[in-house]
Amino acid sequence: MTVDAAELRRRTTELLAAHPPATTDRLDFLRARFDAGLAWVHYPQGLGGLGAPRSLQVVVDAELEAAGAPDNDPRRIGIGLGMAAPTILKYGTEEQKQRYLRPLWTGEEVWCQLFSEPGAGSDLAALGTRAVREGENWVVNGQKVWTSSAHLARWAILIARTDPAVPKHAGITYFLCDMTDPGVDVRPLRQITGEAEFNEVFLTDVRIPDSRRLGEIGDGWRVAQTTLNNERVAIGGMRLPREGGMIAPAAKTWRERPELRTHDLHQRLLKLWVESEVARLTAERLRQQLVAGQPGPEGAGMKLAFARLNQEISGLEVELRGEEGLLYDDWTMRRPELVDFTGRDAGYRYLRSKGNSIEGGTSEVLLNIVAERVLGLPAEPRTDKDVAWKDLAR
Amino acid sequence: MTDLLYSEEEEALRSAVRDLLADHCDAPGVIARTESDTPHDPAAWKALADGMGLAGLLVPEALGGQGAGHREVAVVLEELGRAVAPVPYLSSAVVATEALLECGDEELLGRLASGRAVAALAVGLHRAPGTAFAAARLENGTLHGELTGIADAAAADVLLVPAEDGGLYAVAASDATVTPQVSLDLTRPLAAVVLTGAPGRRLGDAEPAVRRALRAGAGLLASEQLGLAEWALTETVRYLKERKQFNRPVGGFQALKHRLAQLWLEVVNLRAAARNAADALANGEDVDLAVAVAQAYAAPVAVHAAEEALQLHAGIGMTWEHPIHLYLKRAKADSIAYGTAGAHRSAVAELVDLPTP
């Protein structure tokens, strides 16, 4: 039997009656919500869900929000929710699912992603971090980079090379790494903005038990595809109001500061305003397609569109501010938990948005994906496909 | 809530129109027709208007129309754009019809809806909604003057002429001198209309009728531009998969793949903007902004699509025998029709309070 909206409402009311938000401890409420199957309703029973259609999550969320229930802070734990969870659900053993999903969802355990390396960015499958089998353990050595939340994380999803003698995609294995283990060294990576939002992670003789392997040995690339695909669809269900994104502060400045206005900036602002509105409509159209059960390929393009818009709009905003645009709000090295686009100045937005076309897949790689998977154009010639990883040029 | 998708009925309508156009409007035929004495295609028009009843989509059933709406019209226009069909659909079934709906002229609406008559609004194709337009002089109850840049006037039986008294008049084309102008867009030709004492029947006030007609024209033109841009993208992708240079399909070169992926993204965005405008026109909600946003976005995309198609087809794209030139000419003319992107951006500035310096 599929669980419908009415049934979800009934169960939500039950949860609220048994654990009134006003008098229940935040964590207790979140645990109870998970156990009631109302955390992510499309997950299986016993793992925070009820096997209901994914589109019905909004029903539960709306009821709980109206009742003032605490939420699980999905922004801070976004990597766990968006990437680790679906991968563990698909490839994890029963023990792994039981162990990791609940504290992941409640936010008790934060996750990070140990994928990118200094020598393997867009060519992620070229990664060189080694995992060598020693009895029941794997001994891991290498360096990861660009790791959000590593300084807050209890766990990491990790891909490492377990067989250098086979072509690069075949020799990778996927692990769940305990960030508190000896040999895990997290160092802040200071960025162009002045702050250290990301980290470098050095792995020196880190011992990971084989029970924390996810999927088969050598099958890590396929497992990682689940993680990466989920990373890219994250934007799909979002609903933006008009002027809801990066255009908002620019438009606000334009309205409030007539002395800054020039004809050239006006034309550029209007063009970007229109493009923001059209991107919003495209995101809304994608959302309507998902709700109607006909997901379109548009999602592949949304990240490209927003990356470019964020950069152009924030760049315009710096110029619009003229003399103020020559200043910066604060170069202090900080460790923010979240990217704060709206709480900072235009200069910060301009510099930070430069990462939008790099993080989560560069715009160039995404254009290749659109060209090959959506338009069906021929793939780039691959000279590395049949070469053992150890023999590749690096 | 705005519905940005297509219904099953709309998809069925699309495939019916596409089939019809496949039979009537093949590219070599359209190219040959542009050099003949009849640039418009009466057979295709008859099949659309008479056979399928599509000229009356915006007209209520009580007046002999289909009582459908702008969403359906938008789907028809996507297909007409995809075929650069030389039929007066946008000019007669949309723009002139909207003007008549504003005036409430039942007799003429019925004739237009059935396809028995074609009408053209005698306002220059380049005029944006809400801007000034030329008017004929009224002397002793007859109309005088010259109105230029009138789209599809050569195919029209009736001209809807604004006059200096503020009225909109119906003038039989046979009572006017309609002279074709040499037009950039060969498939939507313009004509000059000269009136020397032509009798006219007053339909109503010109200003609201023209404003409404041009707004609908601008909003739905985005769907025609979408169809055109989609054709350009699809044909170019197909060609680049087949065409080989340097012992590889040309479509495998990253420089070209990125350009096509970028174009795809623009077309995806254009679809959302065009659907939004069609839905707004159908529901009457937020119409001015939806139309201005769609037109500010659509024209550059359609032109870009046609220009990319030409460049990426290279040599063959520059020839008369390949239909790309029809699409480029239509796209470029469309970028001026019912107001340029710049004019529509100015409208956006007004509507969302981003004032000029």
Side-chain angles (χ1 to χ4, degrees), chain B residues 61-273:
Chain B
E61 281 178 83
L63 303 181
Q66 306 292 316
H70 300 82
R71 293 176 54 90
E72 290 81 358
V73 169
V75 170
V76 174
L77 282 168
E78 282 183 31
E79 295 309 310
L80 294 175
R82 200 188 307 275
V84 281
V87 290
Y89 191 85
L90 184 63
S91 46
S92 184
V94 178
V95 174
T97 297
E98 287 275 347
L100 291 170
L101 284 166
E102 183 68 23
C103 296
D105 191 276
E106 302 193 355
E107 188 269 336
L108 205 41
L109 275 172
R111 285 170 59 204
L112 255 56
S114 67
R116 274 178 289 133
V118 169
L121 180 68
V123 169
L125 181 62
H126 62 293
R127 298 291 177 188
T131 57
F133 47 88
R137 289 192 320 281
L138 197 62
E139 285 172 20
N140 305 322
T142 61
L143 295 157
H144 299 261
E146 181 176 9
L147 301 164
T148 56
I150 312 304
D152 294 334
D157 306 293
V158 182
L159 302 163
L160 309 182
V161 181
E164 283 175 350
D165 70 333
L168 187 68
Y169 289 79
V171 175
S174 53
D175 290 329
T177 308
V178 177
T179 313
Q181 296 175 283
V182 180
S183 305
L184 175 65
D185 177 3
L186 296 157
T187 55
R188 182 148 50 219
L190 307 180
V193 171
V194 176
L195 302 163
T196 45
R201 182 165 63 84
R202 195 180 203 278
L203 301 163
D205 291 338
E207 203 281 327
V210 171
R211 175 186 287 267
R212 171 169 166 178
L214 296 186
R215 188 175 74 168
L220 292 171
L221 178 64
S223 290
E224 184 190 290
Q225 288 162 316
L226 167 62
L228 188 159
E230 270 212 307
W231 178 89
L233 174 63
T234 308
E235 273 305 298
T236 308
V237 166
R238 190 183 62 74
Y239 180 70
L240 293 197
K241 284 183 196 171
E242 287 169 6
R243 169 80 170 169
K244 292 190 181 67
Q245 300 275 270
F246 307 104
N247 198 34
R248 282 169 62 183
V250 172
F253 288 96
Q254 194 173 58
L256 306 192
K257 284 160 73 174
H258 282 195
R259 284 168 69 168
L260 287 167
Q262 192 59 50
L263 191 56
W264 172 82
L265 183 57
E266 291 176 28
V267 171
V268 161
N269 283 328
L270 174 52
R271 182 182 305 286

Side-chain angles (χ1 to χ4, degrees), chain A residues 239 242 254-255 261-262 266 273 278 281-282 285 288-289 297-298 301 364 367-368 370 372 375-376 378 380, chain B residues 1-2 4-6 237 241 252 254 257-258 261 264-265 268-269 271-272 286 289 352-357:
Chain A
R239 193 160 208 185
R242 179 173 293 153
W254 184 268
R255 290 182 188 117
R261 297 173 192 161
T262 71
H266 192 229
W273 195 95
V278 172
L281 290 168
T282 303
R285 188 162 194 279
Q288 290 182 7
Q289 283 177 303
E298 282 87 343
E364 288 69 21
L367 286 169
N368 277 353
V370 168
E372 290 170 19
L375 299 178
E380 291 290 304
Chain B
M1 190 191 70
T2 313
L4 300 170
L5 307 182
Y6 299 99
V237 166
K241 284 183 196 171
Q254 194 173 58
K257 284 160 73 174
H258 282 195
W264 172 82
L265 183 57
V268 161
N269 283 328
R271 182 182 305 286
D286 216 7
L289 185 59
V352 303
D353 184 31
L354 292 170
T356 42

